[in-house]
């Protein structure tokens, strides 16, 4: 039968004809022509089944579009098919392709396929289109490793997972129009390194819910940097990708900081719990100490009785003189009668003491159990908060959890809602009377809210919209509680899963054995009953024999959800909760839920309900259980942590945000203490023995009751005050030694005792076993209740020097990392049979040995914990790269298989956290290691990394490091973490070798200074919290870190010591974005500028000078530093400071300068000085910034101790003199208008005062300057001098009034000692004014250049004639010849005017002759010239002066050329030596 005939019989003839017709083939010749056909196409209709393909064995391309095909078949005859299209058909599954091994392109879009399957044989497939189907999972693609293009758009896919990881060659992926709502799912695409095009919201398909979330594009650009096109947009720009990466890295830094803050809060909570535990243990410890001491004394008595065979003790010989107490042995021993019952009474009392000890040990165990419970609560809370922060980071802020406080309106609403739905009646069985709300966390989940709103809108727009309109749909909304059922929980932490992904579908709850709906309740008891019952059953099974928790379910948490109940119906009795049984309902309710419970409660009259004014029966009537069929209609909004209050605390307290109050201390009843007293008072009562302070041979023989030392085998020295045991070394036969309850700190003295078998050294002060040697037979050692802390060191000593040890008691010592001490000891001392009084099991010993073996770096350790990834994983995780890589994927090596010869050179990541390592070894071959983590080990030094020069990240947290020497060769290191070690410094020499370091964490060390940190100039993040940094100058070491944006100094003494610590750091480190776990706000920056801007402090001086040895500073120059306040406190630090220059700043007063004790020269030119002391401000309205500045003391920051008195003292309150050592004061160019307001009269020792270039119009306020010798008032606005201007300046020698507006020369009579007067450039017109100068008997120099009268030809002779003692006039020496001519002119008034230009006199005058020195030379390092009295560098020349006046002034200042340069003159003061007593400046040289 031919093939055509077979097809005809099967009824496929018409279909085949249609196939041939559509492709231009003859049906009759298809058998002959079919073998040459390579491509077939069928569109839209006429081909309902895939038949007739056997005629085309060489077919390579088949296109079937728009047919009613439901199944792929017939392709077994097309083995070379490479391209197949079965699109827009009605396929229900993928099948029939198992023989198409050459298939490269497969298009099955727009069908009804619901699962990807049966594609495993198609290993050559490169293109696969399955868009517009009903697919819910990306699966079945594992073998398609050559796949380059995958289109899964318009399906119902919610999760991606790692199903696409094998498709590493995928280049084009379209997932648009699906239901992906989580950024985590998109993160899995980072494994597709070849991906170039990605579609998640294609215009033809619509967006996924995740595309509507914030930061969608940023998230993808970071995780998929290789992408060239996203959602049809080109994104190949490097700037865009760099911006995205920078944004994400900053977010990771921020959340890393916040996680550290959470961990710090846990550490603080743990510290508080430890303090509370210590308080709880204090009484039991004291009682145990007392009772144990008494018990051991009884045992000593019994041993002596048994050894002597007597019922009474008798002693011979005199007591040792080295005892404390009476010297007569008869006084120290109560003579006992030979009562045969004496020993029994002693034994009975010993048993009673042991019973009381057992009771107090129980109390200690109860306190320990309570501490562990509270610590677990705090730890669980920390882990949850960490999870929340990581979740917020991974979702790029689209899931945010906000912890509320009582100031939040929503917090109060939730608080009141929970209280209103709590009924104490439901908890009477357990003694619960109330609840305490610990915290309320608000959940902001954009994806879930969007899903909820979309679902709600779709319901309202459906055919049932008549039931709920847009106006009344809110009546269907309610807030209900959900508490997971711990017995049927599918997730490890179901609450966290719900907050992230929402509630599970109804079918999920059905699989757990519950109703097929989301179970909710409007009452707390209705939500909690499953959890309470489960915990009660678990508690009953566990028994908790010794320390049962009276309220095991005390702490709970629930989810408060917003629910749309829609059309709700009552639960029908006998009918299970299932959507099929309630077809038109959205939810089912069951009222009076608690009536079905088995709680046995008393009548309602016997208990009060927690809701005031509501009876318990009303509570029951309102309690309802709800079952919601659609999980998308339940939106989790709040997470509430609460605590049940028992009858001890019936009142419900107000909520306390973040409260972690532990349970109260177990009460020590008076009966316990009374019972102890009764036991101690039991007969017989032993009289106290004398306390031995030291030992000698006689004492040893007496105590041991021996004749010679070599016979002593047992020695009991219990209850003495021995601190040394040197004499014991000669007891070579000693076998048993008891030295409990002494004052020993070491055990060196019991070394080299070859026969010693047991030692009881409990209840001493032993802190180390170092020095213990030579105890080969020691089998029992009791070291309980001492001060041992380092278990690793102590066990190493015992292993070496006590190899036969069988029983060891080391309990109640302050061990470091006490949780691992037992396994550490067992792993090192393998001969032990008992540890801390507990028998060691074989399983425990074997486990400890395995841990000990694993504490060495060997090949097995490296193989199991190494990875070979070339690139750092792009994951929003806060783990280090080494931790993350070992967490994400297994090791590429297998220990039991043959390792390649160079496998170590391929290792790039190594994670050896928690391996118990004591040293790093066998790492020399890891030459390409880039990321390494060695946290939580016992490393004492950094070694073995010399060959790992490519290392970029190194983590060494929680070890025993004291130095960082081993990291200096890791020049490529970018991240270094050494928190939890014993570092004391950050060596500059080491940080200088790490030029690429961006991250440094050194928290929880003993670092006392930040000196050296300035060498790490590229640091972005620095964590040095919980150290001992206390000096404010350390902050200046951070100023070199210009890139620093995150700094953590929390827990250092600096925070308490430094006033306004936070804004102080914000001011000095303007680049900071976060400080101590909190973001830096803009308001803080403004506050910092207002508070510390322009403040001259000791730290600023130290930064300027490069050292902080303030007592060696004699000169201080801080010009142009924008200083507005001086705060050099305490002032005694600057006890040798003599010269200060603060020119060109913003000072308005002397501020803190008045407290400096020895300042002699002070230069404040070019400031805004208004007064020596700050002026009292009037009570006027001030701005906020002015108010803030007003609150800051002028000497606020940095003052301590007695210096506070300096800050609070206001010298304006009295007229007492100030700055008694000040001699030279420069106040030029300060805009001073009123001299009286300056209060200069209080500077009583001032000798030189410079006030040039101000706006002074009246000379006053100088009354108290009795020692003033030089006064400079040039360039002001003085018009006249009043009678009080110079009333107290009787010592003034030199007065400068040039460039003012003087017209008269009056009131100069109080200046009898004035020698030099400079009046140039004023407005003196009348020669008669010069006659007023005759009252200055000491005047020897006068300058009138630039005045109108100086332009008259007779002005010079007139002056020379009037002032007989004048030696210099206008810069020219008055010669004897000139004075003679003046006298001649005065006698002959009728003669013509004489030309005063006398050529014969000029050669005797020098242009720049140095004629005097001033006491200001030391301040500015210059001398003043005779003809340049104003040439001081602190004075600025006025501009715009006329050319003629300028020429005259140049002549005065010695800068002109009016005089030749060849001749000099020299004038001196008569008392020149006294003039320079201040020693501030150099004296003028003698000519």
């Amino acid at each position: 039968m031919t093939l055509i005939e077979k097809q005809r019989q099967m009824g496929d003839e018409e279909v085949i004809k249609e196939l041939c017709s559509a492709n231009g083939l003859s049906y009759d010749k298809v058998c002959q022509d079919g073998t040459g056909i390579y491509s077939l196409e069928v569109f839209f209709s006429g081909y309902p089944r895939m038949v007739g393909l056997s005629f085309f064995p060489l077919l390579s391309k088949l296109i079937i579009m728009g047919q009613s095909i439901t199944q792929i078949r017939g392709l077994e005859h097309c083995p070379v098919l490479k391209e197949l299209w079965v699109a827009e058909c009605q396929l229900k599954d993928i099948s029939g392709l198992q023989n198409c091994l050459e298939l490269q392109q497969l298009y099955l879009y727009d069908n009804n396929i619901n699962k990807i399957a049966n594609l495993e044989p198609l290993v050559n497939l490169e293109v696969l289109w399955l868009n517009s189907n009903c697919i819910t999972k990306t699966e079945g693609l594992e073998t398609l490793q050559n796949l380059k293009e995958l289109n899964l758009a318009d399906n119902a896919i919610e999760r991606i997972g790692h199903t696409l990881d094998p498709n590493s060659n995928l280049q084009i992926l379209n997932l648009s129009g699906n239901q992906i709502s989580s950024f985590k799912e998109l993160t899995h695409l980072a494994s597709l390194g070849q991906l170039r095009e990605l579609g998640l919201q294609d215009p033809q398909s619509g967006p996924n819910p995740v595309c509507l979330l914030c930061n969608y594009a940023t998230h993808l650009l970071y995780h998929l940097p290789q992408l060239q096109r996203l959602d049809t947009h080109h994104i190949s720009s490097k700037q865009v990708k760099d911006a995205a990466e920078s944004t994400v890295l900053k977010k990771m830094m921020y959340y890393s900081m916040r996680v550290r803050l959470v961990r710090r809060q846990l550490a603080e909570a743990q510290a508080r719990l430890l303090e509370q535990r210590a308080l709880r243990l204090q009484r039991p410890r004291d009682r145990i100490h007392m009772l144990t001491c008494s018990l051991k004394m009884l045992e000593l008595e019994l041993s002596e009785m048994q050894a002597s065979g007597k019922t009474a003790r008798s002693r011979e010989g005199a007591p040792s003189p080295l005892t404390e107490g009476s010297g007569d042995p008869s006084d120290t021993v109560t003579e006992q009668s030979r009562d045969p019952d004496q020993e029994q009474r002693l034994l009975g009392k010993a048993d009673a003491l042991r019973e009381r000890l057992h009771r107090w040990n129980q109390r200690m165990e109860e306190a320990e159990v309570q501490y562990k419970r509270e610590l677990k609560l705090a730890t669980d809370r920390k882990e949850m908060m960490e999870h929340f922060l990581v979740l917020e980071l991974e979702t790029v802020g689209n899931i945010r959890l906000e912890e509320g406080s009582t100031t939040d309106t929503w917090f109060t609403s939730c608080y009141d809602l929970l209280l209103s739905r709590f009924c104490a009646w439901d908890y009477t069985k357990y003694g619960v009377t109330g609840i305490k709300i610990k915290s309320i966390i608000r959940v902001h989940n954009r994806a879930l809210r969007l899903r909820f709103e979309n679902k709600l809108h779709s319901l309202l727009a459906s055919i049932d919209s008549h039931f709920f309109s847009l106006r009344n749909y809110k009546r269907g909304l309610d807030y209900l509680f959900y508490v997971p059922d711990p017995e049927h929980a599918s997730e490890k932490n179901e609450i966290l899963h719900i907050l992230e992904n929402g509630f599970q579908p109804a079918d999920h709850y059905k699989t757990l054995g519950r109703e097929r709906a989301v179970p909710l309740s409007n009452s707390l008891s209705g939500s909690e009953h499953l959890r309470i019952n489960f915990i009660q059953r678990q508690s009953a099974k566990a028994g908790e024999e010794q320390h049962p928790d009276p309220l095991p379910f005390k702490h709970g948490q629930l989810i408060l959800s917003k629910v749309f109940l829609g059309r709700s119906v009552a639960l029908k009795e006998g009918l299970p909760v299932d959507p099929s049984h309630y077809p038109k309902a959205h939810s089912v309710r069951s009222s009076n839920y608690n009536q079905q419970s088995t709680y046995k409660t008393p009548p309602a009259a016997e208990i009060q309900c927690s809701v005031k004014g509501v009876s318990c029966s009303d509570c029951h009537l309102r309690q309802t259980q709800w079952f919601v069929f659609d999980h998308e209609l339940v939106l989790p909004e709040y997470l509430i942590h609460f605590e049940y209050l028992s009858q001890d605390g019936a009142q419900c307290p107000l909520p306390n945000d973040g409260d972690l109050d532990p349970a109260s201390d177990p009460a020590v009843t008076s009966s316990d203490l009374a019972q102890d007293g009764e036991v101690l008072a039991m007969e017989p009562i032993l009289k106290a023995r004398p306390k031995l302070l030291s030992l000698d041979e006689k004492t040893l023989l007496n105590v041991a009751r021996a004749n010679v030392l070599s016979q002593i085998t047992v020695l009991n020295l219990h209850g003495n005050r021995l601190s040394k045991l040197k004499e014991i070394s000669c007891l070579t036969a000693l076998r048993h030694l008891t030295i409990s309850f002494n004052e020993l700190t070491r055990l060196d003295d019991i070394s080299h005792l070859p026969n010693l078998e047991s030692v009881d050294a409990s209840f001493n002060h032993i802190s180390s076993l170092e020095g213990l040697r030579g105890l080969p037979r020691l089998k029992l050692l009791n070291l309980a209740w001492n001060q041992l802390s380092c278990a690793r060191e102590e066990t190493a000593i015992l292993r070496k020097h006590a190899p036969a040890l069988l029983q060891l008691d080391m309990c109640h010592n302050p061990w470091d990392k006490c949780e691992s001490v037992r396994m550490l000891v067992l792993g090192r001392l393998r001969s032990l049979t008992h540890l801390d009084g507990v028998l060691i099991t074989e399983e425990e010993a074997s486990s400890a040995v395995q841990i000990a073996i694993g504490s060495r770096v060997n090949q097995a350790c490296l193989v199991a914990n190494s990875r070979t990834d070339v690139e750092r994983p792009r994951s929003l995780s806060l783990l280090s790269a080494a931790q993350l890589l070992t967490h994400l994927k297994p090791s590429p090596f297998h220990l039991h298989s043959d390792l390649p010869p160079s496998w170590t050179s391929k290792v790039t990541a190594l994670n050896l956290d928690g391996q118990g390592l004591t040293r790093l070894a066998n790492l020399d071959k890891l030459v390409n290691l880039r990321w390494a983590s060695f946290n939580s080990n016992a490393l004492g030094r950094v070694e073995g990394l010399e060959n790992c020069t490519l290392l970029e990240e190194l983590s060494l947290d929680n070890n025993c490091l004291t130095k960082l020497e081993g990291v200096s060769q890791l020049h490529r290191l970018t991240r270094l973490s050494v928190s939890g070690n014993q570092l004391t410094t950050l060596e500059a020499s080491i940080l200088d070798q790490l030029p690429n370091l961006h991250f440094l964490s050194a928290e929880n060390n003993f670092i006392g200074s930040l000196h050296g940190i300035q060498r790490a100039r590229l640091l972005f993040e620095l964590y040095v919290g919980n150290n001992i940094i206390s000096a404010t100058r350390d902050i200046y070491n951070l100023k070199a870190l210009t890139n620093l944006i995150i700094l953590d100094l929390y827990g250092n003494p600096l925070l308490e010591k430094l006033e306004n610590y936070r804004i102080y750091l914000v001011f000095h480190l303007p680049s900071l974005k976060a400080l101590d776990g909190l973001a830096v706000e803009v308001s803080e920056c403004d506050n910092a500028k207002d508070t510390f801007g322009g403040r001259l402090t000791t730290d600023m001086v130290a930064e300027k000078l490069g050292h902080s040895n303030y007592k060696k500073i004699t000169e201080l120059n801080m010009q142009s530093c924008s200083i507005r306040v001086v705060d050099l406190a305490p002032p005694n630090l600057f006890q040798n400071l003599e010269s200060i220059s603060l020119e060109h700043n913003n000072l308005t007063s002397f501020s803190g300068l008045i407290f400096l004790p020895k300042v002699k020269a002070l230069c404040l030119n070019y400031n805004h000085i208004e007064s020596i002391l700050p002026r009292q401000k009037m009570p006027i309205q001030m701005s906020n910034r002015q108010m803030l500045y007003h609150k800051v003391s002028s000497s606020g920051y940095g003052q301590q101790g007695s210096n506070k008195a300096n800050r609070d003292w206001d010298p304006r309150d009295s007229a007492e003199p100030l700055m008694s050592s000040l001699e030279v004061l420069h106040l030029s160019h300060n805009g001073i208008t009123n001299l009286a307001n300056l209060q200069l009269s209080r500077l009583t020792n001032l000798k030189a005062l410079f006030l040039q270039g101000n706006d002074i119009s009246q000379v006053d306020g100088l009354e108290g300057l009795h020692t003033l010798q030089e006064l400079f008032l040039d360039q002001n606005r003085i018009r006249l001098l009043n009678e009080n201007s110079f009333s107290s300046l009787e010592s003034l020698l030199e007065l400068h009034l040039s460039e003012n507006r003087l017209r008269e020369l009056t009131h100069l009579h109080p200046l009898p000692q004035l020698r030099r007067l400079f009046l140039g450039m004023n407005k003196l017109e009348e020669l008669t004014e010069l006659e007023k100068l005759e009252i200055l008997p000491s005047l020897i120099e006068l300058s009138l250049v630039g005045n109108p009268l100086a332009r008259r030809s007779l002005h010079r002779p007139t002056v020379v004639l009037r002032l007989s003692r004048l030696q210099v006039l206008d810069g020219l020496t008055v010669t004897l010849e000139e004075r003679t001519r003046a006298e001649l002119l005065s006698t002959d008034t009728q003669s013509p005017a004489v030309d005063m230009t006398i050529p014969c006199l000029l050669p005797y005058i020098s242009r720049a002759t140095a004629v005097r020195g001033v006491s200001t030379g030391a301040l500015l390092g210059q001398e003043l010239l005779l003809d340049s009295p104003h040439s001081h560098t602190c004075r600025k020349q006025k501009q715009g002066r006329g050319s003629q006046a300028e020429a005259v002034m140049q002549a005065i200042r010695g800068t002109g050329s009016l005089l030749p340069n060849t001749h000099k003159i020299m004038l001196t003061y008569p008392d020149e030596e006294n003039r320079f007593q201040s020693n501030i400046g150099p004296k003028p040289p003698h000519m």
Side-chain angles (χ1 to χ4, degrees), residues 963-1210:
K963 293 185 178 181
L964 294 176
E965 295 174 343
V967 302
S968 57
Q969 299 180 8
L970 309 178
H971 306 305
R972 295 195 179 187
L973 206 62
T974 60
R975 296 177 65 89
L976 176 61
S977 184
V978 287
S979 299
N981 283 281
Q982 300 171 14
L983 300 175
T984 57
T985 59
L986 296 173
E987 295 92 340
S989 59
I990 293 177
L991 293 179
D992 204 26
Q993 301 296 318
L994 307 177
N996 298 305
L997 196 63
H998 294 164
F999 172 96
L1000 176 60
S1001 176
E1003 297 177 298
N1004 300 304
N1005 281 281
F1006 302 97
I1007 299 172
S1009 172
L1010 290 176
H1011 179 69
I1013 195 65
Q1014 67 273 13
R1015 301 294 184 91
R1017 297 186 178 274
L1018 294 183
L1019 271 184
F1020 288 95
E1021 299 176 77
L1022 176 61
Y1023 299 91
V1024 284
N1026 293 319
N1027 281 281
I1028 54 174
I1029 300 169
S1030 59
T1032 56
R1033 64 177 178 271
D1034 284 323
I1035 297 173
Y1036 287 88
N1037 294 318
L1038 299 173
K1039 298 188 74 171
L1041 311 180
T1042 55
N1043 297 315
L1044 191 66
I1045 61 177
I1046 294 180
L1047 173 64
D1048 196 327
L1049 286 167
Y1050 186 87
N1052 283 282
L1054 178 64
L1055 275 70
E1056 300 296 331
K1057 178 181 178 181
L1058 180 56
E1059 185 178 353
N1060 296 321
Y1061 153 79
R1062 185 171 176 86
I1063 59 174
Y1064 183 80
L1065 260 73
V1066 170
F1067 173 76
H1068 286 285
L1069 305 174
S1071 62
L1072 277 187
K1073 302 300 180 185
L1075 175 62
D1076 296 343
L1078 299 175
V1080 176
E1081 305 291 342
V1082 176
S1083 59
E1084 289 182 303
C1085 297
D1086 295 338
N1087 190 1
K1089 291 178 182 178
D1090 291 338
T1091 306
F1092 295 107
R1095 185 179 290 270
L1096 177 60
T1097 63
T1098 53
D1099 294 328
M1100 186 175 179
V1101 172
E1103 181 188 20
K1104 180 77 173 179
L1105 301 181
H1107 67 85
S1108 59
N1109 193 351
Y1110 304 112
K1111 294 185 178 180
K1112 289 187 176 181
I1113 300 176
T1114 58
E1115 297 184 8
L1116 180 62
N1117 189 340
M1118 300 291 288
Q1119 300 183 18
S1120 303
C1121 294
S1122 302
I1123 298 169
R1124 60 179 177 84
V1125 176
V1126 177
D1127 186 12
L1128 298 178
N1132 55 10
L1133 288 177
F1134 300 88
Q1135 59 186 13
N1136 295 315
L1137 184 60
E1138 296 183 354
S1139 175
I1140 301 177
S1141 177
L1142 297 176
E1143 291 186 297
H1144 295 279
N1145 283 290
N1146 299 317
L1147 292 170
T1148 58
S1149 70
F1150 286 23
S1151 189
L1153 293 171
I1154 62 174
F1155 302 113
L1156 300 177
K1158 293 186 179 180
V1159 174
K1160 294 183 178 181
L1162 178 60
C1163 183
L1164 299 177
N1165 298 336
Y1166 296 97
N1167 279 278
H1168 310 288
I1169 302 296
E1170 300 173 351
S1171 173
I1172 294 179
L1173 304 172
R1175 291 188 304 173
Q1176 291 280 12
K1177 291 184 171 59
M1178 298 298 293
I1180 59 176
Q1181 187 69 23
M1182 295 186 295
S1183 65
N1184 292 336
R1185 182 169 293 190
Q1186 290 171 333
M1187 292 175 64
L1188 177 64
Y1189 177 76
H1190 183 68
K1191 293 178 181 178
V1192 179
S1193 173
S1194 64
S1195 57
Y1197 158 67
Q1199 298 194 26
Q1200 306 169 21
S1202 61
N1203 300 307
K1204 186 177 185 300
N1206 292 341
R1207 295 202 305 268
D1208 297 338
W1209 173 57
D1210 189 352

Side-chain angles (χ1 to χ4, degrees), residues 493-504:
N493 196 325
E494 185 178 354
I495 283 185
L496 297 179
H497 182 270
I498 291 174
L499 297 182
E500 179 180 358
N501 303 304
F503 285 88
Q504 297 281 7

Side-chain angles (χ1 to χ4, degrees), residues 95 178 182 329 349 385 410 426 459 556 628 808 991 1039 1189:
S95 60
N178 281 281
S182 172
K349 185 173 182 178
M385 296 306 298
W410 61 266
D426 300 329
L459 281 178
V628 181
L808 176 64
L991 293 179
K1039 298 188 74 171
Y1189 177 76

Side-chain angles (χ1 to χ4, degrees), residues 189 258 289 341 421 603 688 759 885 938 942 1076 1213-1214 1273 1335 1348 1364 1417:
L189 299 178
R258 291 189 60 187
H289 189 281
D341 296 331
R421 295 184 179 182
V759 176
L885 284 171
V942 184
D1076 296 343
D1213 297 340
S1214 65
L1273 290 167
I1335 61 174
S1364 59

Side-chain angles (χ1 to χ4, degrees), residues 611-886:
V611 184
K612 295 182 179 180
V614 180
S615 66
C616 296
S617 59
D618 291 338
C619 285
H620 280 277
L621 291 175
R622 295 189 307 164
Q623 291 175 358
T624 305
Q625 190 81 359
W626 298 87
F627 302 95
V628 181
F629 295 134
D630 193 341
H631 68 288
E632 295 183 359
L633 293 176
V634 185
L635 177 64
E637 286 197 340
Y638 302 96
L639 176 63
I640 304 177
H641 297 263
F642 60 90
E643 175 186 345
Y644 289 111
L645 300 178
S646 59
Q647 294 177 354
D648 297 333
Q651 297 297 324
C652 184
L654 292 175
N656 189 356
D657 186 25
D659 189 13
L660 287 174
D661 289 339
S664 60
D665 184 14
V668 177
T669 62
S670 58
S671 62
D672 288 327
L673 302 180
Q675 290 178 28
D676 289 347
E678 293 174 0
V679 172
L680 292 172
M682 289 175 61
E683 292 293 338
I685 299 178
L686 303 180
K687 190 174 181 180
R689 301 187 182 208
K691 303 289 186 180
L692 299 176
L693 301 179
S694 61
L695 297 176
D696 56 20
E697 180 177 348
K698 186 176 181 181
T699 304
L700 288 174
L701 293 174
N702 186 28
V703 171
R705 299 194 174 203
N707 297 321
V708 293
L709 296 178
S710 61
Q711 294 178 350
I712 299 177
T713 60
V714 178
L715 181 62
N716 194 326
L717 296 173
H718 161 75
N720 290 287
R721 294 185 178 177
L722 300 173
S723 58
K724 294 183 179 180
L725 301 171
K726 291 184 178 180
E727 293 75 8
I728 290 184
S729 59
C730 59
L731 305 181
T732 56
L734 188 63
R735 297 176 57 191
H736 304 284
L737 175 63
T738 300
I739 49 176
S740 57
F741 287 93
N742 279 281
E743 297 179 359
L744 301 172
T745 58
R746 301 173 67 89
L747 293 179
D748 306 27
D749 297 332
I750 64 172
S751 299
H752 303 293
L753 297 176
N755 295 307
L756 192 62
E757 296 180 1
S758 68
V759 176
D760 182 358
S762 58
F763 294 93
N764 278 281
H765 311 290
I766 300 170
S767 58
S768 173
L769 298 182
E770 186 177 359
L772 192 68
R773 301 286 188 276
L775 301 175
R777 294 187 180 181
L778 187 64
K779 297 180 180 179
L780 188 150
L781 178 60
N782 189 347
L783 295 170
W785 298 94
N786 278 284
Q787 298 298 318
L788 300 173
S789 59
C790 186
R792 190 175 297 274
E793 294 179 2
E794 315 308 344
T795 52
I797 295 173
L798 292 177
R799 181 174 59 179
K800 182 176 181 180
H801 299 288
L805 194 62
L806 299 178
Q807 299 184 37
L808 176 64
D809 193 342
M810 305 174 74
C811 59
H812 302 296
N813 279 280
W815 299 112
D816 296 333
K817 302 178 182 179
C818 57
E819 64 279 356
S820 60
V821 168
R822 185 172 179 86
M823 299 304 290
L824 175 63
V825 173
L826 294 181
R828 288 174 165 259
L829 304 179
R830 303 180 187 179
S831 61
L832 288 181
T833 60
H834 292 76
L835 178 60
D836 297 338
V838 179
L839 180 66
I840 301 170
T841 63
E842 293 184 4
E843 295 79 5
E844 190 178 24
S846 176
S847 177
V849 171
Q850 292 299 323
I851 293 175
I853 294 175
S855 63
R856 293 186 291 271
V857 182
N858 50 33
Q859 181 171 300
C861 180
L862 293 178
V863 167
N865 298 284
S866 61
R867 301 295 183 269
T868 58
D869 299 69
V870 178
E871 297 293 334
R872 193 184 194 280
R874 286 185 171 266
S875 174
L876 295 181
S877 173
L878 300 180
L879 298 174
S880 66
Q883 293 170 334
L884 183 59
L885 284 171
T886 53

Side-chain angles (χ1 to χ4, degrees), residues 523-541:
S523 71
L524 183 60
S525 59
S527 304
E528 277 275 273
H529 77 281
L530 292 176
R531 185 182 77 91
I532 292 175
N533 291 340
F534 175 78
I535 294 177
Q536 288 288 92
R537 292 194 302 270
Q538 293 295 111
S539 180
K541 290 180 181 179

Side-chain angles (χ1 to χ4, degrees), residues 329-393:
S330 61
D331 294 339
T332 67
V333 181
T334 301
E335 292 296 336
Q336 308 288 347
S337 63
R338 295 181 177 273
D339 185 356
D341 296 331
Q342 179 72 5
E343 185 173 351
Q344 292 301 321
R345 288 196 295 270
L346 287 173
L347 291 173
K349 185 173 182 178
D351 291 339
L353 286 172
R354 292 189 184 96
E355 183 178 350
R356 295 306 304 161
L357 281 171
H358 177 71
R359 174 59 179 159
W360 286 109
N361 280 318
Q362 280 186 328
R363 286 294 177 87
M364 290 192 66
E365 292 175 5
E366 290 171 2
E368 290 289 345
V369 169
Q370 186 174 353
Y371 164 74
K372 291 178 180 178
R373 288 172 183 161
E374 294 162 356
L375 181 60
K376 185 178 185 303
L377 288 174
T379 305
D380 291 345
R381 176 177 173 79
K382 185 269 296 185
E383 291 177 353
M384 178 169 286
M385 296 306 298
E386 272 192 42
H387 180 88
F388 288 163
L389 291 173
V390 173
L391 181 62
E392 189 172 330
L393 171 63

